[in-house]
């Protein structure tokens, strides 16, 4: 076979797998947005069957041989070569798992997830502990299956963030946390800003209209996506031409919907910007979890909580909610939406304390996987660190170590990508400003297209060509450098507090 | 392997195939209701991949051998035996097709469908003719592949209606059409009833509420289904616990939404009543297309256009639309919704002339497949028969032989099931009335539960255990007998005209 024929055959196989994966995503989206309650049982079965099918197709020796044949070719284009290399990495990693282990893990995740649901309802970690422990033992096994250098947790980090390691994260948090804690302490010693106007009554329909207006203005292509309601906001893609987002509306909390719309649209703009020519191949996929999160955080915070942004949008917002915001001045609104305070729930945290939440989970996971912390010690560890780092007393497990779903899904190694996302966002945003000197001026006029265009060209269009670190160097001239984030925080909050 | 083990393995394989087929249905439902326009290309690819996958799994020798092994067992329950027999029939039929033919057919259907879209837009059959002709040649080939007795069209009829034949349909239409034409002629010679009140302005939101009320009252389980908007109303099932319907709203035509809701809910009640224990197996599937249609027509016409039904619902309807119906008496309303008149469009036809539409298509298809009519002669044949049978002059192809999508999908042999559905509906309804003597009295009180219960027990719960004809005998004591339909028509319309 010629190289072209081999490559076409590879493309076809990968697209077929993608078709099944994206079909599964449609079933999942429907499950969260439209499915009638009784549909759950068979839907679960349908999703399992498709998941198994795509996994089976991706594990076949036939595909492995094809990838190896292609790796040996010297007349692939650079993009073709990268696609094949990335898939080969995925393939060999995937091959390490026995089907017995995959089944055991999937069954334990299912059990642990249901245990979590029950434990949250009963507000008791004890009800979760046994299943979580079994899952942690399996995740430890997984680190052996995958192999690692230096620290077993590295094997799990690598799942979500290629190249991330304990030593790198330790260093990052070591550099960042002390100055961040200093700002935080300073802020909470000052008079608190007022954000009470965000907790008035905001009618659902009007919030919905406002949310739609925002996402369209930010460049979300409604002909290649749609917004719906779900219990937890998320974004999901079935291909770059059909990327959907969901939101929820809290009539008593304006912030809930607005920034979740901006956050999810950040994810969606990334997916809509991926090259369709590489559908089903690595270059048609997002770079990594942290880079994905960098896009949502950049729009949500660096843009969506900036003074420039609201200079333009605030009058429109006031027109939508004259009763609620008519008497609130822009300066007061801006301070209110950037309020910093100790808090219990990660997803509701401000831009500063957010990283304390992530750090505590990171420390916990690391210790659980290395075996220096036992599963039953989680609540004590959690509560103690919340007290030390966030100055809050955790009143119960529901608002403490049971709050996030990730562990019940077996997603150990995921949380750090949330913080990395914010750090990359700040660094990318610095670069964007250097490259588009008139950017902030444009934003005050509601023009964010040049920013989107810059992100599209430098980040979205690249797909999974680079690792996060490589991409960061490519775009900003250096690897991850948290001083951008710290600089952003210092500059922003000295004008607020 | 024990019989039980064999049977379980068979069940598992069939459920897996069902999972993929129903996942495909979710993708199709989403395509019609939610998908953003740009999503079409990749969605088409995803649907093709899943369709190919389920077809591939159903064609494997492994499954064939398993079915044969099971057929040889003598300790299957009667239900198990029937499942295996039905699947063996499907399997052997399916095996007759070469993959080359399947691909050629699917590609030609795709082309013909697009040609139809274009031809309709341009209002010109000539633009459709070439592709339609190619498709007809393939369908003729298909009759040879499948084999047939007496008439090639029988092979295609059998696809949609097991056991239906040209001689049976010829006889049925021969018995029915002359008396039906006589009633029709008599009616159109009389003063026409007034139905102008149905074409006022009916606000969308209020129609939507009214439609939801109706389907719920008729017993549609909203926890196992949902209603949405689509261009053409349809019902679709992902399993008996998740059966969805769609509708459309015409603000200037009250009838459009109301009876399409009742029609689709008739289909959906059937699907919601199928036994979940046989998910993925023949006994978990509907009996046939005509029996499916009998359920929708029974609710739409025998119930939904009856005097008894509106005796109860009309006051509620008047409350929903006081301006439109406040001054219209029930008797006038009842006559208006049963207006009979010559017309061009099948889907909008009254209960009598509907069958003239179907008959013309049946005659056309029969002649095309036997080769006595050429594809380019369709418009002339069509227009001539519409003139003779329906007393209308067809003004153009769009309102003539281009109006239905079926041929462009290659669905030759489908139309007759529409008429059979009405005939079965009348026969079932006669039986229901004999078995539930107080039925019409109940319906005047809005109580249709005993009817639904009777249909559930006698028809829905049986799945595909019987053929249409067997089921009809089982339920009514005799095979299809159009005198029930004729009797219903005569009795009903003598009070209206």
């Amino acid at each position: 076979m010629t190289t072209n024929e081999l490559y076409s055959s590879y493309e076809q196989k990968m697209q077929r797998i993608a078709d099944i994966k994206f079909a599964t995503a449609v079933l999942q989206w429907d499950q969260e947005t439209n499915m009638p309650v009784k549909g759950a049982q068979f839907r679960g079965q349908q999703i399992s069957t498709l998941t198994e099918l795509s996994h089976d197709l991706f594990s076949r020796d036939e595909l492995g041989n094809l990838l190896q044949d292609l790796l040996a070719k010297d007349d692939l284009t650079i993009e073709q070569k990268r696609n094949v290399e990335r898939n080969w990495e995925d393939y060999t990693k995937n091959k390490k798992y026995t089907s017995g282990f995959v089944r055991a893990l999937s069954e334990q995740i299912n059990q642990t997830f249901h245990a979590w649901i029950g434990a949250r309802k009963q507000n008791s970690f004890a009800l979760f502990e046994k299943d979580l422990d079994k899952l942690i033992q399996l995740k430890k096994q997984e680190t052996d299956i995958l192999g690692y250098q230096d620290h077993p947790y590295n094997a799990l980090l690598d799942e979500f963030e290629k190249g991330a390691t304990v030593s790198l994260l330790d260093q990052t948090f070591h550099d960042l946390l002390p100055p961040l804690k200093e700002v935080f302490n300073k802020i909470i010693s000052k008079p608190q800003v007022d954000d009470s106007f965000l907790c008035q009554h905001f009618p659902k329909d009007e919030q919905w209209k406002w949310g739609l207006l925002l996402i369209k203005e930010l460049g979300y292509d409604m002909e290649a996506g749609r917004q719906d309601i779900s219990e937890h906001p998320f974004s999901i893609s079935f291909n770059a031409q059909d990327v959907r987002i969901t939101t929820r509306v809290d009539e008593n909390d304006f912030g809930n919907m607005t920034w979740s719309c901006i956050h999810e649209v950040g994810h969606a703009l990334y997916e809509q910007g991926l090259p369709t020519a590489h559908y089903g191949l690595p270059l048609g996929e997002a770079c990594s979890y942290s880079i994905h999160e960098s896009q949502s955080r950049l729009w949500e915070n660096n843009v969506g909580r900036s003074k420039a942004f609201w200079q333009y949008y605030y009058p429109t917002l006031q027109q939508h909610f004259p009763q609620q915001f008519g008497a609130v001045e822009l300066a007061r609104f801006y301070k209110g939406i950037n309020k910093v305070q100790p808090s219990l729930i990660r997803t509701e945290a401000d831009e500063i304390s957010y990283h304390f939440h992530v750090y505590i989970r990171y420390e916990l996971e690391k210790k659980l996987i290395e075996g220096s912390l036992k599963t039953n010690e989680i609540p004590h560890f959690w509560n103690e660190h919340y007290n030390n780092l966030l100055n809050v007393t955790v009143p119960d497990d529901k608002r403490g170590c049971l709050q996030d779903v990730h562990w019940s899904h077996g997603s150990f190694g995921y949380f750090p990508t949330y913080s990395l996302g914010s750090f990359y966002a700040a660094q990318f945003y610095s670069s964007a400003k250097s490259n588009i000197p008139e950017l902030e001026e444009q934003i005050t006029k509601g023009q964010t297209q040049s920013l989107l265009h810059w992100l599209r060209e430098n980040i979205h269009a690249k797909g999974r060509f680079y690792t996060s670190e490589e991409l960061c160097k490519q775009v900003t001239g250096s690897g991850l450098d948290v001083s951008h984030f710290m600089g952003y925080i210092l500059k922003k909050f000295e004008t607020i507090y």
Side-chain angles (χ1 to χ4, degrees), chain A:
Chain A
M1 269 206 268
T2 67
T3 302
N4 269 345
E5 284 165 348
L6 270 186
Y7 192 82
S8 291
S9 159
Y10 150 73
E11 262 187 327
Q12 229 175 12
K13 279 192 204 308
M14 290 309 300
Q15 286 200 0
R16 210 173 141 82
I17 294 169
D19 287 340
I20 305 170
K21 281 187 179 166
F22 287 126
T24 316
V26 176
L27 267 59
Q28 283 162 334
W29 172 83
D30 179 81
Q31 194 174 32
E32 303 295 326
T33 54
N34 285 313
M35 192 183 68
V37 285
K38 291 184 185 167
Q41 187 207 331
F42 287 109
R43 177 58 55 87
Q45 190 174 316
Q46 290 155 0
I47 289 174
S48 295
T49 294
L50 292 195
T51 307
E52 214 181 300
L53 265 171
S54 57
H55 181 263
D56 174 52
L57 289 174
F58 190 63
S59 309
R60 293 202 181 162
D61 292 339
E62 204 187 335
L63 178 66
N65 296 337
L66 190 52
L67 288 167
Q68 274 192 305
D69 290 348
L70 281 163
L71 283 172
K73 297 282 178 190
D74 54 10
D75 54 345
L76 290 172
T77 69
I78 186 166
E79 292 204 325
Q80 289 176 331
K81 196 167 158 55
R82 190 55 61 96
N83 272 330
V84 174
E85 285 167 353
R86 289 270 182 259
N87 271 150
W88 176 247
E89 286 165 17
D90 301 344
Y91 178 81
T92 47
K93 190 172 192 177
N94 188 44
K95 276 297 214 188
K96 292 182 180 175
Y97 295 97
T98 63
S99 61
F101 182 79
V102 170
R103 202 175 320 115
L105 188 63
S106 138
E107 278 166 16
Q108 188 56 47
I109 284 172
N110 192 30
Q111 268 187 47
T112 311
F113 176 66
H114 284 100
W116 177 72
I117 300 269
R120 253 178 77 91
K121 235 179 227 159
Q122 307 280 321
N123 202 350
S124 156
F125 178 80
L127 296 173
F128 183 44
E129 188 199 312
K130 212 175 111 193
D131 274 309
L132 179 61
D133 191 60
K134 282 189 199 161
L135 186 52
I136 290 169
Q137 300 319 313
L138 284 168
K139 294 306 277 188
K140 283 184 178 178
Q141 269 187 48
E142 195 176 349
T143 65
D144 289 328
I145 290 169
L146 292 170
Y148 55 85
Q149 283 196 313
D150 302 330
H151 197 289
Y153 188 56
N154 288 346
L156 303 181
L157 280 173
D158 199 71
E159 286 286 281
F160 301 104
E161 193 58 25
K162 212 173 163 44
T165 58
V166 163
S167 65
L168 191 135
L169 284 167
D170 281 351
Q171 187 63 49
T172 304
F173 281 122
H174 179 265
D175 292 346
L176 187 84
L177 285 188
L180 204 59
K181 183 78 172 112
E182 204 183 309
V183 189
F184 184 68
N185 287 341
K186 208 191 259 172
I187 285 175
I188 60 176
S189 73
K190 294 211 174 172
Q192 187 51 290
V193 302
D194 169 33
D195 67 346
S196 57
F197 49 83
L198 295 172
C199 295
Q200 304 169 75
H201 184 257
F202 296 88
K204 193 173 166 170
D205 286 355
E206 201 57 30
Q207 281 204 59
W208 181 255
K209 277 186 220 157
W210 162 249
L212 275 178
L213 175 146
L214 260 190
I215 61 176
K216 284 181 204 168
E217 293 259 320
L218 290 173
Y220 180 64
D221 182 353
M222 293 296 293
E223 293 195 344
R226 51 180 288 126
Q227 167 143 291
D228 294 88
I229 295 282
S230 68
E231 207 185 320
H232 298 284
F234 64 92
S235 80
I236 193 165
S237 170
F238 313 142
N239 62 71
Q241 309 276 52
D242 190 354
V243 181
R244 305 190 184 177
I245 55 181
T246 71
T247 188
R248 63 177 162 215
V249 183
D250 182 340
E251 290 205 314
N252 302 310
D253 177 4
F254 172 74
N256 205 308
M257 178 174 171
T258 296
W259 283 281
S260 98
C261 281
I262 308 180
H263 182 95
E264 298 308 334
V265 95
H267 283 300
L269 290 172
Y270 190 177
E271 293 285 335
Q272 286 187 335
L274 291 170
T276 52
H278 289 283
Y279 172 81
L281 305 178
L283 298 203
E285 293 169 359
C287 173
S288 71
Y289 282 89
S290 68
I291 299 301
H292 227 306
E293 193 69 9
S294 79
Q295 299 305 291
S296 54
R297 298 289 281 182
L298 187 152
W299 288 103
E300 179 191 355
N301 294 327
N302 303 76
V303 177
R305 292 187 204 269
S306 72
K307 204 181 267 170
F309 183 79
W310 289 104
Q311 230 169 294
Y312 178 78
Y313 281 104
Y314 194 57
T316 313
L317 178 64
Q318 286 178 312
Q319 278 168 23
H320 276 262
F321 300 100
Q323 276 188 313
Q324 295 87 340
F325 292 129
V328 179
E329 279 174 15
L330 173 60
R332 212 176 125 214
F333 177 79
Y334 173 65
K335 284 190 177 191
I337 64 171
N338 283 295
K339 182 179 179 181
V340 173
Q341 64 185 341
S343 69
L344 289 162
I345 307 295
R346 178 183 60 86
T347 56
E348 295 164 7
D350 58 80
E351 284 187 79
I352 295 176
S353 65
Y354 187 81
H355 302 286
F356 304 148
H357 292 265
V358 173
Y359 174 69
I360 293 171
R361 287 156 180 74
Y362 162 66
E363 283 293 316
L364 243 167
E365 292 187 2
K366 196 173 63 178
K367 288 184 194 305
L368 286 168
I369 297 300
E370 73 187 17
S372 65
L373 186 78
K374 295 203 185 75
T375 308
N376 64 11
E377 295 168 338
I378 292 176
H380 177 73
F381 183 98
W382 182 287
N383 299 350
E384 203 181 6
H385 279 70
Y386 262 76
N387 214 337
N388 294 343
L389 205 52
L390 277 140
N391 299 58
V392 288
T393 305
V394 178
D396 51 24
D397 294 340
K398 208 172 148 180
R399 281 169 283 183
C401 57
L402 284 179
Q403 71 182 256
D404 278 309
V405 70
H406 306 58
W407 293 336
S408 81
H409 286 164
S411 299
F412 291 84
Y414 190 107
F415 282 116
T417 66
Y418 285 134
S419 279
L420 293 174
S422 296
F423 307 154
Y424 279 126
Q427 193 164 341
F428 291 148
Y429 197 61
S430 295
S431 283
K433 283 195 291 187
S434 314
N435 282 282
I436 315 163
E438 61 285 13
L439 179 59
E440 301 236 300
E441 180 63 25
Q442 289 176 352
I443 293 178
T444 63
K445 295 178 193 149
Q447 295 160 7
T448 53
Q449 308 94 306
S450 65
L451 175 60
L452 177 58
H453 182 73
W454 185 85
L455 294 169
R456 284 263 150 94
E457 271 203 324
N458 290 283
I459 297 174
H460 306 180
K462 306 296 182 195
R464 200 146 74 88
F465 191 90
Y466 301 108
T467 62
S468 313
E469 190 69 2
E470 286 166 356
L471 181 71
C472 187
K473 278 188 188 138
Q474 190 75 19
V475 178
T476 72
S478 78
L480 182 62
D481 173 359
V482 290
S483 71
H484 292 279
F485 176 74
M486 206 52 229
Y488 159 72
I489 291 291
L490 286 172
K491 191 175 165 211
K492 175 170 187 175
F493 286 95
E494 74 179 8
T495 71
I496 295 173
Y497 284 92

